[in-house]
DNA sequence: TAGATTGTTAATCGATTAACAATC
DNA sequence: TAGATTGTTAATCGATTAACAATC
C-alpha cells in the first residue's frame, strides 16, 4: 500500500549524476548497518561520502522522504529502501560473452553473486577455452547462445570480447531479448532505447588518469 | 616555442566533465586517422561521439584552438595534439598490487602497453602466487615492494587487492613516492592532494545498471 | 569571392548549495 | 518544551547549447 505511493511519487526522471551516487550511498549505509549503527544524519553521511548534506537530502528525496525531522535517517530503513531502489531485492541471471582474462576474472568474482547477480554461463568462440569451467560455470560454444537464452532466463549480458566482435555480440543478445548489457569492450556499443547499457571502459579510465597526472605536472611547472 | 604558448594559455582548470570526454575524442580521432581521413569538422565529430558540435568546439578550445575556420580540424594534427594532452607522448611504468584474477587480467591486457603503459611487476601476499609469471611479468612478494620502487622508476600503482588491504597498500605506494593510483578495490581510498587517483568500481557500475533496469521497468508499469 | 566552419560570447539549462520553515 | 534535523524552496554556480562575428 505504502509501496504504491512511493511508486506514484517516483515519476520524475533521475539524473545520471544522482544514479552514479546511489551505489555509494548503499555501500556506506551497509557499512553503518553492519557496524550496528541505528541512525544517521545527512551531516554524518556527508562526512562518509564526501557529498554535501544538502545534496544527500536532495538525492534521497527523489525517492520520497525516508527521514524524520529532528532525528535523521533510520539505518535499517535506509538500507532496505536503497536495496529496493537499486533492484537488489531480486536476483538476476547473467551470462558472460568472452572467456578471456577479463571474462574469467568477472566470472570468478563471487561478490556479484552475493549481491544477487548470478553468472550462469560463459560463451566463447575459441575452441581451446570451450568446455572449461570457472568456479562451477561452464564455458560454452558461442553458437549455443541462442538456445541457452531461450531455455534459461537471462537478464544481463556481460560483454568482454575484443572490440571487433562486441557490437555483433550485443546485437545477438538484444535480438534474443536481453534488456541489459554490461559492456567492457573499449568501444561505444549502439543499443535501442529500451536496452540498458552500462559501459566500463578501462582504456578511457587509464587515459584520464594519464591526463590528470600530466595536468598536475604542468600546473606545478608554472609556479 | 609554440609549445610554450600552449602551456601558458592552459592555466584554466579542466573540469572532470571535460576530462571524461578527452579519451573518447582521442579514440575517434585515432579511428579517423587509421582510416586515412585527413580532415574533420566538429559536426562530423558530433555524429561519431554523440556530443554536440558546440560542446566539442568548447572542449577543444580549452587547449588552444587547433582548428581552422572554414576548414575544420586536420586529423593528424588533432591526433598529435590529443596525444600530448593525454600525456601519451611518454611511457609509464606501472606495478600491479594483487595477483588475483583481476590483477592477472590487467597484466595480461597488452593494449595498455601499446599506449605506453608498461607493467613491470606484480606484488602479492599469497605465497602460492609469488613466483608466477604473467606474460613476462613476475609476481613478487609484497614485502619487496619498497626496494622495487626505490630501484625502479614506477609511475602508476594499480591496486587490485581485496578492499581490506587496499588503503594500506595505497599508503605504502604513496609513502615510496608513487603519484598516481588506479584503484579497482571497491572502496573509497583516501590520498593526499598531490596524488592522482582514478577509481574503477565495478560493483558500483553493476548496481547502477541494476537501478536503471528497474527504473525502466517501473516507468513502463506506470503507463 | 562565396561558402563553410571555427572560436568565442551570450543565453539557457540543470545541478548543487544555501536557507529556513516544518516538525519530530 | 527546546534542540535537532529533515524536506523543500530559492539562490547560486557551472556546464551545455545557441548564435554569430571572424576568417580561412
Amino acid at each position: 500500500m505504502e509501496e504504491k505511493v512511493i511508486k506514484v511519487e517516483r515519476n520524475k526522471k533521475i539524473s545520471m549524476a544522482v544514479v552514479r551516487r546511489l551505489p555509494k550511498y548503499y555501500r556506506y549505509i551497509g557499512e553503518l548497518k553492519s557496524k550496528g549503527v541505528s541512525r544517521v544524519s545527512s551531516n554524518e553521511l556527508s562526512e562518509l561520502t564526501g557529498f554535501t548534506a544538502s545534496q544527500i537530502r536532495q538525492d534521497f528525496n527523489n525517492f520520497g522522504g525516508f527521514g524524520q525531522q529532528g532525528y535523521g535517517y533510520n539505518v535499517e530503513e535506509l538500507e532496505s529502501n536503497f536495496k529496493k531502489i537499486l533492484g537488489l531485492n531480486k536476483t538476476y541471471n547473467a551470462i558472460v560473452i568472452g572467456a578471456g582474462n577479463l571474462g574469467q576474472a568477472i566470472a570468478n568474482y563471487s561478490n556479484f553473486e552475493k549481491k544477487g547477480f548470478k553468472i550462469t554461463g560463459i560463451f566463447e568462440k575459441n575452441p581451446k577455452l570451450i568446455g572449461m569451467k570457472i568456479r562451477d560455470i561452464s564455458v560454452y560454444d558461442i553458437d549455443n547462445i541462442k538456445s541457452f537464452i531461450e531455455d534459461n532466463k537471462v537478464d544481463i549480458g556481460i560483454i568482454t570480447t575484443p572490440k571487433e566482435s562486441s557490437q555483433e555480440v550485443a546485437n545477438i543478445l538484444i535480438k534474443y531479448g536481453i534488456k541489459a548489457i554490461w559492456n567492457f569492450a573499449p568501444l561505444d556499443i549502439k543499443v535501442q532505447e529500451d536496452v540498458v547499457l552500462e559501459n566500463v571502459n578501462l582504456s578511457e579510465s587509464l587515459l584520464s588518469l594519464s591526463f590528470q597526472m600530466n595536468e598536475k605536472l604542468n600546473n606545478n611547472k608554472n609556479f
Side-chain angles (χ1 to χ4, degrees), chain A:
Chain A
M1 191 124 350
E2 217 188 310
E3 173 141 290
K4 210 162 185 185
V5 175
I6 289 171
K7 266 180 192 155
V8 169
E9 277 175 359
R10 257 233 271 157
N11 253 338
K12 110 184 58 155
K13 271 270 173 303
I14 307 297
S15 77
M16 277 313 283
V18 176
V19 172
R20 295 285 162 225
R21 286 191 291 268
L22 297 178
K24 190 165 288 193
Y25 290 132
Y26 183 65
R27 177 157 54 85
Y28 280 105
I29 291 162
E31 280 176 20
L32 290 171
K33 193 189 167 197
S34 73
K35 274 184 197 150
V37 177
S38 65
R39 57 177 269 196
V40 66
S41 69
S42 56
N43 257 301
E44 291 163 329
L45 281 171
S46 168
E47 267 178 45
L48 289 172
T49 59
F51 309 139
T52 64
S54 190
Q55 181 166 65
I56 291 168
R57 294 201 299 277
Q58 290 275 19
D59 284 354
F60 285 14
N61 277 85
N62 282 306
F63 304 99
F66 21 70
Q68 214 169 304
Q69 281 107 327
Y71 171 86
Y73 301 90
N74 177 287
V75 172
E76 292 242 5
E77 213 180 293
L78 260 193
E79 205 266 352
S80 89
N81 269 298
F82 268 88
K83 192 168 193 170
K84 206 180 289 175
I85 288 166
L86 290 169
L88 302 177
N89 49 346
K90 317 175 198 165
T91 59
Y92 301 87
N93 292 330
I95 57 176
V96 173
I97 302 90
N101 294 109
L102 188 58
Q104 291 186 33
I106 288 168
N108 256 310
Y109 194 56
S110 56
N111 267 19
F112 298 146
E113 200 162 316
K114 280 182 205 142
K115 292 206 173 70
F117 301 87
K118 188 168 168 54
I119 293 170
T120 56
I122 305 172
F123 293 86
E124 173 60 50
K125 198 162 67 179
N126 180 352
K128 280 182 199 157
L129 298 172
I130 296 168
M132 251 182 78
K133 282 215 165 199
I134 290 161
R135 293 192 295 154
D136 58 338
I137 310 162
S138 296
V139 178
Y140 302 108
D141 190 319
I142 183 79
D143 290 341
N144 299 332
I145 201 166
K146 183 188 174 185
S147 63
F148 188 94
I149 297 174
E150 284 169 348
D151 297 347
N152 301 275
K153 174 176 164 282
V154 178
D155 305 293
I156 301 169
I158 305 174
I159 300 179
T160 65
T161 64
K163 65 175 185 303
E164 290 70 26
S165 34
S166 54
Q167 180 65 59
E168 191 192 346
V169 165
N171 294 345
I172 292 170
L173 295 177
I174 293 166
K175 184 166 149 198
Y176 299 137
I178 290 180
K179 291 280 185 251
I181 290 178
W182 201 18
N183 175 47
F184 288 80
L187 170 112
D188 297 322
I189 281 182
K190 301 264 194 306
V191 300
Q192 37 185 92
E193 257 292 290
D194 64 330
V195 174
V196 175
L197 173 67
E198 176 77 12
N199 287 303
V200 179
N201 194 323
L202 297 186
S203 253
E204 290 187 359
S205 173
L206 181 59
L207 295 200
S208 73
L209 175 73
S210 174
F211 171 81
Q212 291 171 82
M213 288 169 72
N214 282 274
E215 190 69 352
K216 202 146 272 181
L217 277 179
N218 286 336
N219 286 344
N220 291 346
K221 258 188 220 155
N222 287 337
F223 294 105

